[in-house]
Amino acid sequence: PIARKVWLGTFHSVCIRILRQEIEPLGFTREFAIWDDDDQSRAIKEIMKDSSLGNLTDHSPGSVRSWIDRAKNELKGPDDFRDLRQDPRPKIFRAYEQRLKGANALDFNDIVNRVIELWQKYPAILRKWQEHFRFLLVDEYQDTNPAQFRLLQMLAEGHKNIAVVGDDDQSIYAFRGADLRNILDFETHYPNATVIKLERNYRSTGNILKAASQVVRNNRERKDKTIWTESGAGEPVRLFAAQDENDESLRVLGEIRGLIRKGTKPS
């Protein structure tokens, strides 16, 4: 029966489940809507038609939306940009937040941020969920952003049972707000942590691993590791310098066609 208490999901799916039960103290109903990209863009375009916001010539609706997304990933609200007095974006941000509240809606970033807000304002609710999630396991930890880090930090404070899996060399979502420091500083955040390096590779041959390691070791910030395999050296790595993405695609297609002509099955 205790297994029924185990939750498995993304940050957002887990937070939606929590908010459907707990969001009412924040002034939303449990039937809140979740705005998609089109809903966000439409609201921002309508807000930007208001001439009282100031000079908008330097900002498109898309760039404003990206700016708001980055701010929310960093747990910032409109009031955190008081220094940008001549910039219309904080005013747009404030009007956008009012529209969300008036529509009983959250955007994608709010899903995590509203849980954090709820727990900060209502410690008893936080304690309830700390007791529910006594053990935490997080995959792809290198791609967590500041808001997700804060969420985990608050939960883990209850029982201090947190295990994360990740590879700093595979962090690819900085453009979406991922913060590599989350994994690089894990032992600083949790001084009693045990670090287990998973260095055996089951997917690639030795030559591929050697070439990849020679490239990635040039990263300025990374944890030292030595990847190895029992798959043998394999074929030598071939280097192809493409002129652009189309040239690259044509090369891949050519390789596939050649293999099929030699009898390789397309599957």
Side-chain angles (χ1 to χ4, degrees), residues 111-129:
I111 294 169
V112 172
N113 291 13
R114 290 296 185 184
V115 173
I116 295 170
E117 179 187 358
L118 182 75
W119 289 347
Q120 287 174 332
K121 290 181 176 178
Y122 302 96
I125 297 177
L126 169 60
R127 287 193 294 271
K128 167 186 169 181
W129 290 101

Side-chain angles (χ1 to χ4, degrees), residues 93-142:
F93 192 176
R94 183 171 287 103
Y96 172 72
E97 290 294 273
Q98 290 169 351
R99 287 210 175 199
L100 278 167
K101 195 78 175 279
N104 191 42
L106 310 180
D107 65 21
F108 190 70
N109 294 298
D110 287 333
I111 294 169
V112 172
N113 291 13
R114 290 296 185 184
V115 173
I116 295 170
E117 179 187 358
L118 182 75
W119 289 347
Q120 287 174 332
K121 290 181 176 178
Y122 302 96
I125 297 177
L126 169 60
R127 287 193 294 271
K128 167 186 169 181
W129 290 101
Q130 285 174 337
E131 192 57 34
H132 181 91
F133 294 113
R134 296 182 62 191
F135 297 90
L136 303 171
L137 172 61
V138 188
D139 196 14
E140 304 291 4
Y141 189 70
Q142 76 278 357

Side-chain angles (χ1 to χ4, degrees), residues 40-57 59-62 64 88 91-93 95-96 99:
Q40 286 181 269
S41 298
R42 192 179 306 111
I44 291 171
K45 284 178 184 176
E46 290 175 359
I47 292 166
M48 290 180 71
K49 291 177 183 177
D50 183 352
S51 59
S52 68
L53 291 170
N55 181 17
L56 297 172
T57 56
H59 306 289
S60 67
V64 171
K91 295 179 183 177
I92 299 170
F93 192 176
Y96 172 72
R99 287 210 175 199

Side-chain angles (χ1 to χ4, degrees), residues 24-40:
E24 289 174 342
L26 297 181
F28 297 83
T29 73
R30 295 183 182 186
E31 294 74 36
F32 61 85
I34 299 173
W35 280 7
D36 61 18
D37 294 350
D38 290 339
D39 297 322
Q40 286 181 269

